[in-house]
Amino acid sequence: MKGPKRSLDVPKIVNAVLELLAEDPATVPTLRGVAARLGVRPNTLYTYVPDRAALEGAVVEHLLDLAGPAVLSGPAPWRERITAYALRLRAELLARPGAVPFFLSGPMNGPNAVLVGEGLLAAFAEAGLSPGDGARAAYAVIVHVLGSAALAAADLPGPGTDPEQVLLERRAALAAGPPLTSAASEVAAGWNSVEQFTWGINRLIDGCVPSLP
Amino acid sequence: MKGPKRSLDVPKIVNAVLELLAEDPATVPTLRGVAARLGVRPNTLYTYVPDRAALEGAVVEHLLDLAGPAVLSGPAPWRERITAYALRLRAELLARPGAVPFFLSGPMNGPNAVLVGEGLLAAFAEAGLSPGDGARAAYAVIVHVLGSAALAAADLPGPGTDPEQVLLERRAALAAGPPLTSAASEVAAGWNSVEQFTWGINRLIDGCVPSLP
DNA sequence: ATAAATTTTGTACAGCGTACATTGTGCATC
DNA sequence: GATGCACAATGTACGCTGTACAAAATTTAT
């Protein structure tokens, strides 16, 4: 190879994105911000990545991996494997709401996305689903994880707001609503809690996997 | 009231957004684009709306209404009411992918959002769920609808691409994947179809509403 | 008729992603 | 060991975004 040595590579760039997210989890990183953190001019990144979308895709792939897709092929019973990965991916996303838009701004067709899909298919096959229903169920699980993460990210309180306080205000607002909303305000206010996420994904799995006839 | 007459109001502005979406469903409307269509300078909109987020919220409210929340309190059996509204909201979103980000860039706490929530709670109450479980189930349904719409919007083919062609390419790509993915490629390629959406939401409801013990 | 209130505009700014020509660097070749 | 080429990084720039702020225009109340 001729020419000057490369000062960066895609993993380094992805890492810079994660650093920005670690410092300010709710802010969507920008190309220029990433470049600045790497001590480089913005257009330098175009040597390693064709455009912003590709960078986002790389970050998505990294996060899918960070959530540990290995658990999907682990020794645990199939349901636990699914819920475990779902919970971990959700946790990674909620820890970095600024990364959530990356998952929703382009197709998820990278290697790790395929790997996760395959893992889900395996789990659902083990549960007794046909390949077709397995595919539908796997997709439904992805929808549930990304959907609830996206809704949670959309509802972020301003920085430096007490979560407890937010919960109370949310509950009060719901309690002032129509009758059923008001009656369920206590539960409804905690829609973005781990408990309710777990409840939802388990009900989804229940519906996908018919219990004994 | 003193001062010159207002030339606009929020509904007119929302309407302009919908017109832009009708002409170019996949492109997210911008403040400046909306202003241009109304024959007005960009900053004029700030007389009617505090910022972009508020405009987005107004559009969300309009679309929630456009999907016809009345069906939720209609005479049909509870399950049909839920799936009917879900299908209609999904249809409105898929017809305007450019509006999907609006649903995910701020809290959904407008009157119509509350109304939809109340309708879902009523349906699930009729199904025999406790208020708490009803709230969890209603939230899960919202997650499913918005999540699948968001994923579908993220996967939009370039403008002027034949959907049939896209399906074939997607299927081929999946067929080249790992074993289970490959085996399910036919079904998996159609993940954003109405049929699979219906399947998913019905399975979700199945899981939420315990059948006879 | 004048004054006050309020809408609309003009102008501007900082930030975004990205294109293009230029400069600089380092290996392969002579 | 000098030379030239291939490539990386930069400088500069464009069009776009949302949004301030002060000036102008318009309508009503006095």
Side-chain angles (χ1 to χ4, degrees), chain A residues 44-68:
Chain A
T44 300
L45 301 182
Y46 284 83
T47 302
Y48 306 94
V49 147
D51 56 6
R52 167 164 235 267
L55 174 53
E56 295 184 354
V59 173
V60 167
E61 281 289 298
H62 183 91
L63 290 178
L64 286 177
D65 179 63
L66 198 62

Side-chain angles (χ1 to χ4, degrees), chain A residues 90 93-94 142-154 191-192 197, chain B residues 139 143-144 147:
Chain A
R90 184 193 107 102
L93 291 180
L94 290 207
I142 294 290
V143 162
H144 193 82
V145 175
L146 296 187
S148 62
L151 286 185
W191 54 264
N192 56 354
F197 175 81
Chain B
Y139 169 63
V143 163
H144 193 82

